[in-house]
């Protein structure tokens, strides 16, 4: 995508009208588009497609350096295509679409860009461009442009922002793991667990989402032998599940002897494999998304057993982004992660709103703005 799309327009008044954008994007409807299964790649490809259409038309005049100020630190929350104040989203399948808006509360007057002229671009000025993909025909089924106000009026207000924590794993640490004998970096369980957990294998007595019984938790040593060692060299088949995280979770469950239920994989509990107090992560970039809970601060996650984020075991698969092959493993209790790696300040957050898939189906074959 042209770097100029990252620079705001000279004036709010010269943003292209959304009705006109809908006409431009009608060219995309019916075009072939095959999903890769990689969220970031697919998102980037859609943005590039939208940008390629915009480049065919007259774009808003660029603001000059000194004429504007990006208000949020590190430009967090500012839409990806700043020149037209657009964020793009891919809609695929299911009964509903979970819209996630990062680092801004959508239908608000919060400033994002301030101009010397006194004009400003705010959170509620962002245009949401939804690209509906027909996954059976592998083509773009529709393009729908919505405003934040329309979304809230039509589907309800966005939920309370959810904080997102991150962990930074340096390239040096990754390299050291790759060059180690077994390609695994592991540490013993927390002191609280070490005297009670199992060091010999016994088939699970309950499902993955059930509350853990400390006496039936497999030790990190056993997890290393049964899971981590067998994952090295394993290629994640993201196409078989919703994403790579679920593909890894499914493989770990199989190795542990659990009966895999696809609905359980969508349960969304913390930790992922609750019955084993095991959080599973895939990492091919410097940062690991920790979600709502972070072992940076000790919080109780299982009240009955007084188990905390320090006790949760983290299995982080280090993958090659080109091949999806697991080339290293980190296996550690939460209390150790802070000693090994750096936490990224929890500046990131997301707001969510569910949109019924029937809404997108209604406008199949169209490019439209704020449909009535």
């Amino acid at each position: 995508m042209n770097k100029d799309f990252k620079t705001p327009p000279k004036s709010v008044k010269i943003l292209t009208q959304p009705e006109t954008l809908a006409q431009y994007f009608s060219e995309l409807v019916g075009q072939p588009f095959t999903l890769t299964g990689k969220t970031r790649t697919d998102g980037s490809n859609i943005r590039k497609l939208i940008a390629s259409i915009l480049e065919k038309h007259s774009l808003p005049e660029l603001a000059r350096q000194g004429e504007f100020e990006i208000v949020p630190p590190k430009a967090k929350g500012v839409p990806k295509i700043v020149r037209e104040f657009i964020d793009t989203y891919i809609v695929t399948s299911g009964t509903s679409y979970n819209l996630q808006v990062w680092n801004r509360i959508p239908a608000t007057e919060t400033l994002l860009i301030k101009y010397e002229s006194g004009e400003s671009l705010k959170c509620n000025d962002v245009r949401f461009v939804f690209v509906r993909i027909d996954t059976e025909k592998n083509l773009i089924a529709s393009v729908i442009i919505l405003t934040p106000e329309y979304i809230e009026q039509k589907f309800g207000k966005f939920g309370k922002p959810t904080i997102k924590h991150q962990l930074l794993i340096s390239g040096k640490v990754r390299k050291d793991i790759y060059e180690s004998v077994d390609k695994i970096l592991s540490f013993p369980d927390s002191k609280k667990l070490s005297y009670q957990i199992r060091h010999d294998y016994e088939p699970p007595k309950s499902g993955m989402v059930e509350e853990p019984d400390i006496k039936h938790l497999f030790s990190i040593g056993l997890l290393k032998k049964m899971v981590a060692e067998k994952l090295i060299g394993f290629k994640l088949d993201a196409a078989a599940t919703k994403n790579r995280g679920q593909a890894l979770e499914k493989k770990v469950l199989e190795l542990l002897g659990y009966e895999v239920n696809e609905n359980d994989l969508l349960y969304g509990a913390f930790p992922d494999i609750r019955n084993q107090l095991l959080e599973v992560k895939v990492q091919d970039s410097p940062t690991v998304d920790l979600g709502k809970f972070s072992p940076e601060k000790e919080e109780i996650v299982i009240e009955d057993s007084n188990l905390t984020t320090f006790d949760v075991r983290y299995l982080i698969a280090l993958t090659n982004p080109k091949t999806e092959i697991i080339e290293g493993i980190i296996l550690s209790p939460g209390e150790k992660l802070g000693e090994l790696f750096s936490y990224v300040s929890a500046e990131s957050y997301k707001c969510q709103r569910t949109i019924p898939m029937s809404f997108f189906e209604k406008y199949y074959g169209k490019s439209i703005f704020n449909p009535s």
Side-chain angles (χ1 to χ4, degrees), residues 278-301:
L278 185 64
E279 179 76 351
V280 175
K281 297 290 181 185
V282 179
Q283 192 241 11
D284 60 14
S285 64
T287 55
V288 179
D289 291 336
L290 296 173
K292 180 181 178 181
F293 291 94
S294 167
E296 183 177 12
K297 294 180 181 178
E298 188 172 22
E299 290 185 69
I300 292 177
V301 292

Side-chain angles (χ1 to χ4, degrees), residues 342-362:
S342 302
Y343 289 107
V344 179
S345 177
E347 297 172 345
S348 300
Y349 61 90
K350 65 181 175 183
C351 295
Q352 300 186 85
R353 177 68 263 166
T354 299
I355 301 176
M357 190 61 71
S358 58
F359 171 79
F360 298 103
E361 299 304 323
K362 185 178 179 180

Side-chain angles (χ1 to χ4, degrees), residues 54-284:
L54 293 174
E55 286 176 333
K56 293 180 181 181
H57 302 276
S58 297
L59 292 167
E61 186 180 349
L62 284 174
R64 295 178 182 177
Q65 206 64 34
E67 291 181 341
F68 66 93
E69 176 190 352
I70 304 290
V71 177
K74 301 179 183 178
K76 280 182 173 285
V78 175
K80 296 287 186 183
I81 302 178
V82 186
R83 186 110 169 241
E84 285 285 12
F85 233 50
I86 285 174
D87 263 339
T88 57
Y89 301 87
I90 297 179
V91 181
T92 54
S93 57
T95 57
S96 63
Y97 176 75
N98 183 30
L99 171 61
Q100 299 182 356
V101 181
W102 288 101
N103 304 316
R104 67 174 185 269
I105 302 175
T108 63
E109 296 280 332
T110 304
L111 280 178
L112 293 176
I113 297 174
K114 183 167 61 176
Y115 293 89
E116 272 199 343
S117 64
E119 290 184 286
S120 62
L121 283 165
K122 303 172 183 178
C123 290
N124 57 6
D125 292 316
V126 179
R127 286 83 76 82
F128 293 70
V129 176
F130 295 90
V131 182
R132 169 75 169 99
I133 306 298
D134 187 323
T135 54
E136 293 183 2
K137 297 179 181 178
N138 291 320
L139 54 79
I140 295 174
S142 61
V143 181
I144 301 177
I145 305 172
L146 304 179
T147 61
E149 291 90 345
Y150 178 93
I151 293 170
E152 288 206 339
Q153 289 170 9
K154 187 86 174 177
F155 309 109
K157 291 187 177 296
F158 284 83
K160 184 179 178 181
T162 303
I163 298 296
K164 173 187 173 185
H165 301 270
Q166 293 181 321
L167 185 75
L168 182 65
I169 298 179
S170 69
K172 181 181 183 302
V173 170
R174 180 187 281 263
K175 184 173 181 290
D176 289 344
I177 294 171
Y178 289 169
E179 293 177 351
S180 65
V181 176
D182 58 7
K183 303 184 186 302
I184 299 171
L185 177 64
S186 66
F187 296 88
D189 283 282
S190 66
K191 292 178 182 178
K192 188 186 301 178
L193 297 182
S194 60
Y195 299 108
Q196 303 180 66
I197 52 181
R198 300 189 64 87
H199 298 278
D200 57 324
Y201 180 73
E202 183 178 288
K205 298 183 182 295
S206 52
M208 64 165 279
V209 300
E210 302 299 325
E211 294 291 298
D213 182 336
I214 296 180
K215 298 189 299 295
H216 296 296
L217 287 178
F218 301 141
S219 68
I220 282 183
L222 189 56
L223 290 173
K224 178 181 178 182
K225 181 179 179 181
M226 292 190 62
V227 179
E229 291 177 1
K230 296 174 183 176
L231 285 177
I232 299 298
F234 178 74
K235 182 175 181 178
L236 291 174
D237 184 10
T241 56
K242 187 178 179 182
N243 55 41
R244 295 180 307 152
Q246 287 181 11
L248 176 62
E249 190 177 325
K250 183 177 181 181
K251 182 62 178 177
V252 171
L253 286 167
E254 289 173 351
L255 291 172
L256 290 175
Y258 283 85
E259 184 177 331
V260 180
N261 185 323
E262 295 296 334
N263 289 331
D264 287 345
L265 293 176
L266 298 171
Y267 184 66
F270 176 84
D272 295 312
I273 303 177
R274 194 171 178 84
N275 195 238
Q276 281 297 325
L277 204 65
L278 185 64
E279 179 76 351
V280 175
K281 297 290 181 185
V282 179
Q283 192 241 11
D284 60 14

